[in-house]
Each structure stands twice: as structure tokens, then as C-alpha cells.
Amino acid sequence: MLQFLVSITFTHAQSVTSASGIVKDSITGEPLPYVSVYFEGSTIGAMSDDNGHFTLQNDKGYVKLSASSLGYETKSIRLKAGRKNDGLMLILKPAAFEISEVVIKPKKQKYTRKDNPAVELIKKVIEHKDENRIESKPEYETEVYEKLALSLDNFNPNLDKNKFVQKFKFIKNYLDTSEFNGKPILTVSVRETLLDHYYRKSPKSEKVIVKAKRQQGIDKSLDDGGAITSNLEEIFKSINIFDNNITLLLNRFVSPLSSTLAVTYYHYFILDTLDIGGDKCIDLGFVPANSESYGFTGKLYITTDGTYSVKKVLLNTPMNINLNWVDKLRIDQEFKRTTDSTWVISNENTYVNFYVVKGTQQLYAHQLRNYSNYNFNVQNADSVFKLLGPTHILPQATVLSDDYWAVNRPVPLKEKEDALKDLLNQLRKVPAFNAIIKTAEILITGYIPTTSDKKTSKFDFGPMNTVFSANHLEGFRTRIGGMTTTNLNPYWFGSGFIAYGNNDRKWKYNFKLTRSFNRKAYYEGESPVNNLSFIQEYDVYTPGQDFLYTSKDNLFVAWKVGEPVTKMQYIKKSVLQYEKEWLNNLSWKTWLKSENNEAAGTLQYTMRDESGNMYRIKDFTTSEIGTQLRYAPGERPYNGRSGKESVFNLSKDAPIFKISHRIGIKNVLGGDYDYQHTELSAEKRVWLSSFGHIDVQFKAGKVWDKVPFPLLIMPNTNQSITIQPDAFHLMNALEFVSDQYVSFNATYYLKGWILNRVPLIKWLRLREVVSFNGIYGGLTKKNNPTYTPGLYLFPDGTQPLGNTPYMEASVGVENILKILRIDYYRRLTYLDNPSIKKGGIRIALRFSF
């Protein structure tokens, strides 16, 4: 009997067909609430909830599921009978609407701008946008709460069958549900910031005072100097829908309210008239004319009161957009009207699903911003706007208690976000987790702490990518180095390396002792810098070859192409240096240096006396004082160990201006020459809306006195297979010298502007890159040994830079497998010089969205 009952129960369970999932808008991807979801032919149904989710089941054999809602075409799908049908996504298409006797059918008739009421409406919105944006006010202040939560998306591992993950069975107690797609998530990181934002229209100024800031999660120990946090802040910038271009994910998207491109870049459709929070609004949908371009699909809710104000914004990335690492993205913004009828933003939510490889574990990011306490009469305006720099973090901001956050955060944490500390405590009890985190620390920071806990490490070994390298003089080179941390002393720091070459059998070294006048959190280079340093170094260098954005010992630049680099120098130097940064992004560096240069490899210092006799000089010494000013207005703070100009710093939009002057002093500290040398430079990333960007750099310099060729200007060359910014890739090292020059470098990243429109090829998601490098200069007779005795003769293959500028250009393709860039470089001038290559391939790894 019991067996019979069990059999009946089992059969009944098997006959139940259940369905759960989410209903979304086909244009915007927005979840649709209050949609009727039902089994066709039955009375069994349910309504989707506020977030578009639904769940229902039947045991009557119904297997066809439908969803319907006013303003949308009915969607029907067939289910698997007698099974659970979870994770369903029902995409509803907007139906036709009759408005002012004009029928708009976005999916069924050819789009036209002429006599289109949607186009006329958006023109009116754009016409009135400047008066409707908060920046039209003379000044304002608002309190902003920001929260960025990072989670593992659709996280549902089998914690019972896999022996390795059985150790993490407790994780199921911390699973949450995604607001974006309703799937299970495991929150692993939460960053919170509470700040006051101040704005003044004229003279224009914006200030941010951070009152509270904290970070929890497994990535806290990986965030070396706050570099990860800085980059995340750059990636998830708050958007301004009223700007012509929207900055998001390190790209520029054309705004649907762009004054210059909106009407030609987007197709607009009037979908409905709705009540949104008590305001009657027109539901205006839009899609980009080209779905691969950097635009949005979405909706604008426009008030019908004649002001053409924006009440709400929904933005999504098109399905076919040429955007890396992003599976889905949605941005919601809501605006409210203040008592004086000014429209201000009240909430912003950004939801993104990231992936590394399609089909593998995704990362879910939710950026929330809440704006409150608006005031159009800024208190203490004079003192606030006189502060140096755009951002100020109060001293106590990072040490505030949980009680402070519980009282002052306007939006409470979700239950599982609040339990993150407990989750981390559980994870740290598992040795495998600690091993994974330690490995990740080494890979991300490039340094190995000398204790198991970074919080107690007094010395870190690294950077690890410089341990092995090679060059013509030394052969195989081994190097080991490191740096002390604040765990040893928060004001005094030591760093450096020792290296050994197998061929020349010489030890090289670099030792640096630094006194910081600011207390540091972990290492010496943290901003704002106020450091006095002494450096002692003995090492091998190649004249005319400076790796400005990486170490010359980087393993990846050891692979050389073109003419072998054999002209080298042993350099021994002592430097006393002071460097200071101010919060307005102005920095100053000054130094006193004594340097001995010894010719090595095939390089020789040869001089001809007045009788025409030739003789060699082993080495020479210079003693100089120097100073440099650097100004980067608008540059965001970055504290990674590799420095703010590192390729790992994702904030590259600020212009950078530099001026330096060096004075050589003869007969002081053994100096052999008097000289003066001036350098100027300016660089900027120029965005061309969604059509990509150009990285531009201008430089100029002059040596004012008579000096031997090692003290002349040598254009920076690159003989490695890798692409190096600010270098000439087909010029040989020491091929040209000059004592005055101007140079221009430009690289245009087209972001697929052309290839996105080529059938078949566009599915490869390739992106175009073109570049041009040129230098024009000359050598005055006073520094040319042909005309002036007492100078070192130029080495073989070296010549003055003549009246013709040196130029080279490249065309290339990036985004190959999402990470690889390949360029073909072509030399354009001085094609008859011996031992040159007129063309060549260079490669680079480039990670971009």
C-alpha cells in the first residue's frame, strides 16, 4: 500500500509543469512589472512583480506559456512538459500606438525622420535641456551616497558532489538574488562612499568632500594602494544624460539628448503616455541606427507640462554592440522636482554583467547613487570653492564605525551585503581560499609580501616581471628587488634591486632611501607625494632608448627586432631628489645628480685632437641640478605602485603638461661639462564622441651649450616587438642626434567605426588603429664634431637629424580575441640609411571595453 501511494505521489510530481523567470521590454531590456503571465487555454496565471519576475505551475498538462500587457505584443513559448522551466526570459515587443492620428510602428514600417512626431518631440527636449538641467542654477550642493557591490552572478555551484567545493558549503547561506536578472548571486565586495558635492556655474568649479568611505570584500587585500578602487571609480562614473556624450566603461556613448548627433544617430518612437510618480509623461523609446555603434537602446519619460523635462531615463547597450567583457548593461535614472520647480536627479542605478569567457562564471556589478538634501544657496561657498583640487577626503572618513554607517547611509544594505564580514571570516578558515587570494595578490600587484598577511609585511619582493631579462651586453640577466612598507616605518622607506649579467659578469644595483613628510598607508609613492630621496645606482643603459611606461627589465620587452642593439653604457649615479604634489594636480621635482658614463658594447667615446690624431676616452662625468613642473588639471587620484602614468591607470583623459630644465656644472663633484637643457611636453586624449579617440603628444627641447654627443638629444627608440608609447619603432637606437627638436605623436583608436559596418567582418568585433610619429630638429655647428674640434666623434650609423623630419606611420587592428593588437609600421623618411628596416610588425596586449 505504501509503495502504491509513493508511486502515485511520484507520478503526480512528475506531471507538474512549472515556469519561472522575468519579463522584459525588447527595446530597453527593462524588466516589466504587472504583466499577465498564464498557461494558454487555462485560467491559471499570475502577474509579474515589481521587478518583472513571475512563478506559476500546473498539473493539468498545459505546456504553452503566454505573457501579455497593454502596449505590447503577446509573447508565447512552449515549455518542457512535467519539468521545471526556470530562468525563462520573456521579451515583449512594443505594439503600435496611435498618437495625434499618426501611427508609429518601430518594428514594421520603414523609419523616417520627416513628419515623425517622435523626432519633433526629441528636438523640443534638446532645445529645452539646458534650462532643465541642474547646472543651469548659479550654484548648488547635494549629499550623495554611493554603493558599488560586486557579486558572482548566477552562482549555483554543486556544493555536495565536488570534493573541493564541499569545503565551501557554508556559502549557500550567503546567496542573494540579483536585482538585474533574478538569478542567484554571491556578493564578494561592497564599496560605500558618503560625500557632499558642490557646484558653481561661474567661474565654473566642482568640489567633492568625502565624509565617509569604506570597503569590504575579498578584493580589499588585492587593492594595492587603492588602484583597483580608482579604476572602478573611473569605469563607473556617474552619467549626465544632458551631456552630448556619456562617459561609461572608459568609452564615450552618444547621448540620446546630444545637441549635435541625437537625431541622426538614433531612431525615436513614441510608445505610450503614462503616469510616472504623479507626473503625466510621454514614453519615448529610442534605438541607435547602427546596433554595433556606441549608443544606447532605452526610454525617456518626458513630462507633458510644456517644459519638456526628463522624469526618468532607462538605458541599455544594444545586443550587437562592439563592447568587450560586458554581457548586459542597464542604467536607470530618476528625477524629481524641487519646491522651486527645478528638476534634479534623485537616484541612479547601474547594473552590469561582466564576463571573461562566454559561458563561464560572470561578475555582476551594481552601482547605486542616491542624491538628497539639495541646496541652491551653498553654505560657506567661498571657503569650499577655494579648496585646492576637486576632491578632499576628511581625515576620519575611512575609520568610521558600523554604527555611523547604519545611521547615516540613506539606503540600507541588503541583508547579504551586510553579512559580508561574516562570509569573509568563514572563507579565511579555508586554506585553499587563502592560497587563491595570495596568488591573486602577487599577479595583480607584482610583489610578494614576506609574511602571510600583507598587513604585517615589512618588506615586499618585486616587481616580479623584472626578475629575468636579456640584452646584448649582459646576455641573460637576473634581478631581484623589493621595497619596505609602512609596517617597518610610515615615514622612512627603502627600495631597490641587485642584478647580474651572465656575459659581462658584473653586479648592478639600485638603492633608494626616502623620507616621506606625509604619513603613508603602505608604500612611499602614495599621493600626495612629499618625499626627499637619495638614490645610488650602477646599471646598463642603451642611449636613445627609454621605456617610459615600463621597466627596461620587463620580461616582455626583452624580445628585440630590427638591428641588434649593441651600443650601450655603464652608468653610475648618485641623486638627491625632492618631490612634492599638491591637490590641484601640480607637482614639482628638483634634484642634484652626479653621473659617470662609461662606454660599453660597441659604443666608443672617440676624440680627434687638433693634429688629427684619434684617441679614446673611457668615461666622462656630469654634475647637474634640475627641476621639473608637471600639471595635469582634472587628473583623478591614483596610488598604484607603478605610478599615475602607468598603463594600469585607466584614467587617461586629463591633459598633462611638463617643463623641465637641467644645468650641468663643470668642476663640481667631478663634472666635466657646463650645459643647459630644456624640455617641454603636452599630451591629451581627444575624444571624437562615439567615433573613438586620439592620443596626442607634442614635445620640444633644446640643448643650449656645446656638449659631447651622449649629452645631446637622442629620439626615443624601441627595438622590442612590443608597441611602446612615445617611441619610434623603426628608428635604430642612436641613429639620430640633435640639439633642438619638436616632435609629434598621435594614435587614433577608431573603436570599430569602419569595421563595424563591413558585413561578416563586423562579427569579429575588430577595431582599427592608425598612428603617426614624427620629429623635426637639427644640430648646430657648435655640437657637430665635423665642424667643431674637442667633441666626441659620432658612432658608426649615427648622424645629425637633418632638414627632413623623421616620420613613420602605422595601421593596425586591435581587439583580436579581445586582448591583442597588431600594427604594421612603415618608415616614411631616411629610407637610404644603412642597416634600417623600412617596415615591421609590432604587437601589444590591450585590454579595453
Side-chain angles (χ1 to χ4, degrees), residues 690-710:
S690 67
F691 306 109
H693 66 266
I694 305 175
D695 289 341
V696 181
Q697 182 186 68
F698 292 94
K699 297 181 75 175
K702 183 175 179 63
V703 177
W704 303 88
D705 303 283
K706 172 184 171 182
V707 292
F709 77 83

Side-chain angles (χ1 to χ4, degrees), residues 156-447:
N156 193 18
N158 192 330
L159 298 172
D160 296 319
K161 293 184 178 180
N162 189 308
K163 291 183 179 180
F164 176 77
V165 297
Q166 278 184 352
K167 303 173 183 178
F168 299 92
K169 291 182 68 173
F170 57 85
I171 283 178
K172 63 184 178 182
N173 299 322
Y174 298 92
L175 293 182
D176 205 347
T177 302
S178 169
E179 308 96 324
F180 193 21
N181 56 25
K183 295 179 180 180
I185 60 173
L186 178 68
T187 301
V188 295
S189 174
V190 175
R191 288 170 168 82
E192 295 181 277
T193 305
L194 189 63
L195 60 90
D196 290 328
H197 178 244
Y198 299 86
Y199 173 85
R200 183 180 63 195
K201 186 175 182 180
S202 181
K204 187 175 180 180
S205 179
E206 290 189 73
K207 302 294 180 182
V208 169
I209 297 180
V210 177
K211 300 184 292 186
K213 190 180 185 74
R214 77 170 181 174
Q215 173 185 356
Q216 301 180 84
I218 64 174
D219 59 340
K220 187 173 182 179
S221 63
L222 310 179
D223 199 1
D224 195 38
I228 294 177
T229 296
S230 296
N231 285 334
L232 286 173
E233 289 173 353
E234 186 70 14
I235 291 170
F236 291 102
K237 280 184 175 180
S238 178
I239 72 167
N240 191 330
I241 192 66
F242 298 102
D243 288 342
N244 289 336
N245 296 293
I246 292 175
T247 301
L248 181 68
L249 301 177
L250 310 178
N251 284 294
R252 296 294 187 275
F253 293 75
V254 175
S255 170
L257 296 182
S258 170
S259 302
T260 55
L261 290 174
V263 175
T264 56
Y265 202 85
Y266 287 101
H267 292 174
Y268 294 89
F269 309 96
I270 294 178
L271 302 176
D272 203 353
T273 302
L274 305 171
D275 184 280
I276 305 292
D279 292 293
K280 189 176 182 181
C281 298
I282 297 175
D283 183 356
L284 184 67
F286 54 88
V287 296
N290 184 306
S291 62
E292 287 85 10
S293 59
Y294 285 81
F296 297 103
T297 64
K299 291 185 176 184
L300 294 166
Y301 295 91
I302 311 300
T303 60
T304 59
D305 58 2
T307 64
Y308 300 98
S309 303
V310 177
K311 172 72 175 182
K312 187 176 180 181
V313 180
L314 303 177
L315 302 175
N316 299 265
T317 50
M319 185 174 296
N320 296 324
I321 189 172
N322 189 345
L323 190 66
N324 290 331
W325 323 116
V326 176
D327 186 37
K328 294 180 178 65
L329 178 147
R330 188 177 91 227
I331 301 174
D332 301 345
Q333 282 192 338
E334 296 181 8
F335 296 80
K336 64 182 179 181
R337 197 192 324 246
T338 60
T339 54
D340 69 348
S341 297
T342 301
W343 283 93
V344 297
I345 186 171
S346 58
N347 290 289
E348 176 181 289
N349 285 278
T350 300
Y351 310 94
V352 189
N353 278 129
F354 295 103
Y355 67 90
V356 176
V357 178
K358 282 280 191 179
T360 60
Q361 179 65 61
Q362 290 194 0
L363 180 69
Y364 167 57
H366 176 202
Q367 171 77 68
L368 176 149
R369 289 185 175 90
N370 174 270
Y371 300 80
S372 59
N373 300 326
Y374 279 92
N375 185 359
F376 300 113
N377 183 17
V378 177
Q379 302 298 316
N380 303 316
D382 291 340
S383 59
V384 169
F385 291 114
K386 284 181 180 179
L387 292 172
L388 285 180
T391 303
H392 293 262
I393 301 177
L394 298 182
Q396 72 276 13
T398 58
V399 295
L400 294 171
S401 66
D402 291 346
D403 291 339
Y404 172 89
W405 283 100
V407 172
N408 289 278
R409 72 164 65 88
V411 181
L413 290 179
K414 295 167 62 180
E415 179 185 356
K416 304 305 181 183
E417 293 172 344
D418 205 24
L420 186 55
K421 186 182 297 184
D422 295 333
L423 172 61
L424 291 175
N425 290 333
Q426 295 249 45
L427 287 171
R428 292 190 183 106
K429 295 177 183 179
V430 182
F433 171 79
N434 295 320
I436 293 171
I437 292 297
K438 184 61 64 178
T439 303
E441 280 183 19
I442 296 171
L443 292 176
I444 293 174
T445 67
Y447 285 80

Side-chain angles (χ1 to χ4, degrees), residues 493-512:
F493 297 89
S495 62
F497 65 81
I498 55 173
Y500 184 77
N502 283 8
N503 285 359
D504 66 352
R505 299 188 178 183
K506 289 187 176 183
W507 289 96
K508 293 85 182 178
Y509 56 84
N510 176 293
F511 299 111
K512 181 180 180 182

Side-chain angles (χ1 to χ4, degrees), residues 779-799:
L779 187 69
T780 57
K781 288 186 177 181
K782 69 174 179 289
N783 282 315
N784 192 329
T786 303
Y787 301 99
T788 304
L791 294 173
Y792 298 170
L793 301 182
F794 292 153
D796 292 339
T798 299
Q799 67 181 74

Side-chain angles (χ1 to χ4, degrees), residues 493-685:
F493 297 89
S495 62
F497 65 81
I498 55 173
Y500 184 77
N502 283 8
N503 285 359
D504 66 352
R505 299 188 178 183
K506 289 187 176 183
W507 289 96
K508 293 85 182 178
Y509 56 84
N510 176 293
F511 299 111
K512 181 180 180 182
L513 179 65
T514 297
R515 163 65 180 181
S516 172
F517 298 101
N518 297 333
R519 185 183 180 91
K520 302 299 183 180
Y522 193 74
Y523 74 102
E524 66 178 75
E526 295 167 355
S527 294
V529 170
N530 187 7
N531 294 348
L532 178 66
S533 302
F534 176 76
I535 305 166
Q536 185 68 42
E537 180 178 13
Y538 176 66
D539 206 351
V540 172
Y541 285 87
T542 300
Q545 189 173 87
D546 295 319
F547 294 103
L548 302 179
Y549 301 97
T550 187
S551 168
K552 69 182 181 63
D553 291 329
N554 190 322
L555 177 65
F556 298 102
V557 302
W559 181 7
K560 306 296 184 183
V561 293
E563 187 70 12
V565 179
T566 61
K567 300 180 180 72
M568 308 186 81
Q569 295 171 313
Y570 289 110
I571 292 182
K572 180 183 291 186
K573 61 184 176 183
S574 302
V575 184
L576 182 64
Q577 174 181 290
Y578 176 70
E579 186 174 6
K580 182 172 176 60
E581 293 179 342
W582 289 269
L583 294 177
N584 62 351
N585 297 309
L586 176 68
S587 62
W588 174 56
K589 184 193 299 183
T590 186
W591 63 89
L592 173 64
K593 178 172 70 173
S594 176
E595 179 175 297
N596 178 264
N597 292 257
E598 178 185 349
T602 60
L603 182 65
Q604 296 181 1
Y605 301 152
T606 305
M607 189 176 291
R608 180 188 294 112
D609 61 21
E610 295 180 356
S611 302
N613 298 318
M614 311 281 286
Y615 60 96
R616 290 180 59 183
I617 297 175
K618 179 184 177 183
D619 60 4
F620 69 92
T621 300
T622 59
S623 298
E624 72 172 36
I625 57 174
T627 188
Q628 180 192 76
L629 284 174
R630 180 186 185 274
Y631 182 47
E635 186 176 55
R636 292 174 65 89
Y638 182 81
N639 276 329
R641 282 194 238 201
S642 51
K644 63 180 65 176
E645 295 189 5
S646 163
V647 294
F648 299 109
N649 180 7
L650 301 182
S651 179
K652 300 291 185 182
D653 290 340
I656 300 175
F657 305 97
K658 296 180 185 176
I659 180 171
S660 65
H661 189 70
R662 297 152 45 196
I663 302 174
I665 306 173
K666 189 175 181 179
N667 298 325
V668 173
L669 299 177
D672 295 322
Y673 298 98
D674 287 317
Y675 61 86
Q676 297 196 57
H677 184 166
T678 305
E679 292 278 348
L680 304 168
S681 70
E683 58 186 89
K684 180 73 174 75
R685 174 165 291 179

